[in-house]
């Protein structure tokens, strides 16, 4: 198909209530539209059939939370802020690629619309700054990732045989179905990031460190209807990483940046990895940024 077009109304609503000075509760709802991409509708390799008649994706996102900001919490000139939120995202007609094991189509992959793809979870963000000392902490906990596709699930049940039992394939499954990119893109169940540091010489020198933790994926996609000949989920392991950084203001518009990443030289796969290529080991980076 040489051209494709579409459109829709994508509203966004929100309410923010100040229950105490600088303390708020809020709720927001947004919709979005994404047209099928060139990658999803064109022929790249012989084994992948481009999607035909693909519908645009339609997203609906809810977020409910609370936030507060305080000054003079521990010291006269400090500030502290924290926000906790619940999110629930649903994408109708989510576009993904499947591996089709149906007789006569063995090995063929095609793009199609699922019924929906859903995620939900909790987010925490916090910040403390006292001039000389600062710290940021954030974390995300996923409650669910789920794909629903009654048409493809029916195809899998129909292709069940004595060598591969797919008779109990559900219409909705955590993660996704066989050959789907959603299996490899399953986010960590829990992730957290702590950054803290010190400022010296009238804040011209900043030194600090960062600790990052990520667990394994939200779900392990290892059921018969989730595993196939291609695009298997790489079950990355939990990992804790530590970095050091330095920023020094040499002149008004010139800064020196130094970072030492993966301080303990951990051997690991990045979350959402799609190959067995490990992440970089201990890495030192030095750079100078100037504006003129």
């Amino acid at each position: 198909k040489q051209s494709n077009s579409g459109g829709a109304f994508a509203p966004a609503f929100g309410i923010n209530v100040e229950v105490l000075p600088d303390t708020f509760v809020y709720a927001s709802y947004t919709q979005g539209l994404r047209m099928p991409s060139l990658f999803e509708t064109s022929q790249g390799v012989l084994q992948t059939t481009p999607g035909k008649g693909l519908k645009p994706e339609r997203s609906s996102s809810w977020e409910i939370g609370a936030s507060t900001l305080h000054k003079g919490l521990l010291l006269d000139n400090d500030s502290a802020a924290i926000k906790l939120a619940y999110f629930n995202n649903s994408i109708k007609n989510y576009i993904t690629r499947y591996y089709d094991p149906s007789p006569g189509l063995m090995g063929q992959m095609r793009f199609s619309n699922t019924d929906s793809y859903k995620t939900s979870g909790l987010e925490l963000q916090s910040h403390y700054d006292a001039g000389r000392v600062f710290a940021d902490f954030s974390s995300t906990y996923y409650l669910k990732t789920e794909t629903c596709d009654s048409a493809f699930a029916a195809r899998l049940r129909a292709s069940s045989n004595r060598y591969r039992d797919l008779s109990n394939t559900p219409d909705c499954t955590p993660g996704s179905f066989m050959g789907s990119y959603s299996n490899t893109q399953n986010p960590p169940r829990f992730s957290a990031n702590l950054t803290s540091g010190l400022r010296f010489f009238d804040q011209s020198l900043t030194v600090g460190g960062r600790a990052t933790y990520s667990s394994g994926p939200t779900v392990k996609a290892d059921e018969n209807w989730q595993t196939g000949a291609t695009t298997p989920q790489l079950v990355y392991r939990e990992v804790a990483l530590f970095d050091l950084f330095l920023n020094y203001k040499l002149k008004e518009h010139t800064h020196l940046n130094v970072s030492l990443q993966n301080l303990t030289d951990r051997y690991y796969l990045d979350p959402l990895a799609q190959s067995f290529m490990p992440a970089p080991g201990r890495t030192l980076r030095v750079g100078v940024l100037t504006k003129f």
Side-chain angles (χ1 to χ4, degrees):
K1 193 173 182 180
Q2 296 299 312
S3 64
N4 199 0
S5 63
F9 178 58
F13 304 97
I15 184 171
N16 194 45
V17 180
E18 187 174 17
V19 294
L20 293 171
D22 295 322
T23 300
F24 302 88
V25 293
Y26 71 92
S28 66
Y29 173 75
T30 59
Q31 288 189 2
L33 185 77
R34 188 183 77 86
M35 293 295 295
S37 69
L38 183 64
F39 173 67
E40 295 158 343
T41 55
S42 62
Q43 185 89 37
V45 295
L46 292 177
Q47 198 175 7
T48 302
T49 301
K52 296 181 179 180
L54 289 178
K55 300 176 182 178
E57 294 180 349
R58 183 79 179 193
S59 66
S60 300
S61 302
W62 281 97
E63 184 173 325
I64 302 171
S67 65
T68 184
L69 171 67
H70 291 282
K71 295 183 178 180
L73 183 66
L74 301 177
L75 302 172
D76 292 338
N77 63 338
D78 69 357
S79 64
I82 187 171
K83 184 181 85 168
L84 178 64
Y86 164 79
F87 63 88
N88 189 306
N89 304 322
S90 177
I91 303 177
K92 184 180 178 181
N93 297 323
Y94 180 73
I95 300 172
T96 191
R97 187 202 69 182
Y98 288 137
Y99 173 81
D100 198 332
S102 302
L105 293 174
M106 189 67 70
Q108 192 67 33
M109 296 178 285
R110 77 163 42 88
F111 285 95
S112 62
N113 291 108
T114 67
D115 296 331
S116 65
Y117 177 72
K118 301 177 182 179
T119 62
S120 63
L122 301 169
E123 284 185 337
L124 172 69
Q125 292 180 317
S126 61
H127 174 73
Y128 178 79
D129 197 323
R132 174 62 63 87
V133 179
F134 67 92
D136 290 277
F137 177 77
S138 62
S139 63
T140 303
Y141 183 82
Y142 275 88
L143 300 171
K144 180 178 71 173
T145 63
E146 180 184 69
T147 299
C148 294
D149 194 333
S150 56
F152 188 69
R155 292 175 68 91
L156 293 181
R157 289 191 292 267
S159 66
S160 180
N161 54 58
R162 60 178 179 174
Y163 303 106
R164 190 175 182 83
D165 183 12
L166 297 171
S167 59
N168 58 345
T169 300
D171 289 344
C172 296
T173 183
S176 190
F177 298 92
M178 62 175 65
S180 172
Y181 293 122
S182 302
N183 281 335
T184 65
Q185 296 164 352
N186 204 269
R189 169 72 73 177
F190 176 73
S191 60
N193 184 300
L194 173 63
T195 301
S196 61
L198 298 169
R199 302 184 182 101
F200 300 96
F201 309 127
D202 196 25
Q203 301 192 3
S204 61
L205 173 64
T206 301
V207 294
R210 182 182 301 106
T212 305
Y213 171 82
S214 61
S215 68
T218 305
V219 295
K220 189 174 181 179
D222 57 355
E223 301 289 349
N224 282 344
W225 55 85
Q226 295 173 320
T227 59
T230 184
T231 325
Q233 180 191 39
L234 302 186
V235 185
Y236 50 87
R237 308 289 182 86
E238 65 175 352
V239 63
L241 302 172
F242 301 93
D243 307 326
L244 299 175
F245 62 86
L246 176 150
N247 177 274
Y248 182 60
K249 184 177 179 181
L250 297 172
K251 293 183 178 181
E252 181 64 27
H253 299 292
T254 303
H255 292 258
L256 170 68
N257 297 295
V258 181
S259 67
L260 183 60
Q261 299 174 334
N262 195 358
L263 179 65
T264 55
D265 202 23
R266 290 295 305 273
Y267 184 86
Y268 70 101
L269 289 180
D270 280 316
L272 313 184
Q274 298 190 43
S275 76
F276 286 107
M277 177 67 70
R282 186 184 297 115
T283 304
L284 175 66
R285 287 186 170 91
V286 180
V288 176
L289 175 66
T290 185
K291 297 180 181 179
F292 55 89

